[in-house]
Amino acid sequence: MTTFLDTSALMAAINGAEAHHDWSVAQIEARRAEGPLIIADIVYSELAAGMASREDTDTAVEEWALERLRGNDDALFMAGQAYKAYRKKKRGPGELPKTNVLPDFLIGALAKVEGYPLLTTNEDDFIKYFPELEIICPPK
């Protein structure tokens, strides 16, 4: 079975100091045994933000045996609609909007449109806007 990776799970697997490092490594290895691991272009971009060079980014993608999936109009539209709903959401006093929500919506929408489960360490960014998406996350 193909699995879609969120940046949070990938970065946790790469960085041994992350709280969900062991869980992420185990899940990625188990999912790789079942089928391809896919990342979206936005995940590649977010991964690159944490790397020193493009070569380091490409090496990480190769070492983790990740395949890339380009966006499609259905997923891009779905992400835009989720973002619109998010912007309309009422916030409590002092609650600031998240700044990484549009990338998460792109990741969630691509996984949903393609029909792949999403491996993430931050399920809360996806469950409200993609309730039918299968999410694989650490136990709470």
Side-chain angles (χ1 to χ4, degrees):
M1 168 187 276
T2 299
T3 303
F4 211 82
L5 268 65
D6 178 34
T7 312
S8 65
L10 183 56
M11 291 303 291
I14 291 171
N15 183 354
E18 291 279 338
H20 296 293
H21 171 74
D22 292 339
W23 179 87
S24 294
V25 169
Q27 288 296 315
I28 289 171
E29 289 174 356
R31 294 292 169 161
R32 182 183 300 116
E34 295 177 5
L37 300 173
I38 307 291
I39 62 169
D41 285 344
I42 192 69
V43 172
Y44 180 92
S45 295
E46 288 181 322
L47 177 63
M51 298 290 186
S53 68
R54 179 172 178 186
E55 291 77 21
D56 289 348
T57 305
D58 291 341
T59 297
V61 168
E62 288 175 27
E63 286 177 355
W64 289 95
L66 305 174
E67 297 178 22
R68 301 264 301 275
L69 176 67
R70 308 272 188 236
N72 64 55
D73 290 347
D74 289 336
L76 295 172
F77 180 81
M78 185 182 292
Q81 293 300 301
Y83 183 64
K84 180 168 56 174
Y86 170 80
R87 286 192 334 220
K88 288 182 180 179
K89 181 179 137 187
K90 301 259 187 228
R91 295 187 206 333
E95 185 182 356
L96 298 174
K98 292 179 62 170
T99 58
N100 67 332
V101 72
L102 188 53
D104 285 343
F105 289 154
L106 288 167
I107 293 163
L110 276 167
K112 170 74 174 94
V113 167
E114 294 297 326
Y116 301 144
L118 177 66
L119 182 66
T120 183
T121 62
N122 60 335
E123 70 176 326
D124 292 341
D125 291 346
F126 302 98
I127 58 175
K128 293 177 191 171
Y129 297 94
F130 305 99
E132 297 166 359
L133 176 62
E134 179 185 346
I135 299 174
I136 304 159
C137 59
K140 292 199 177 208

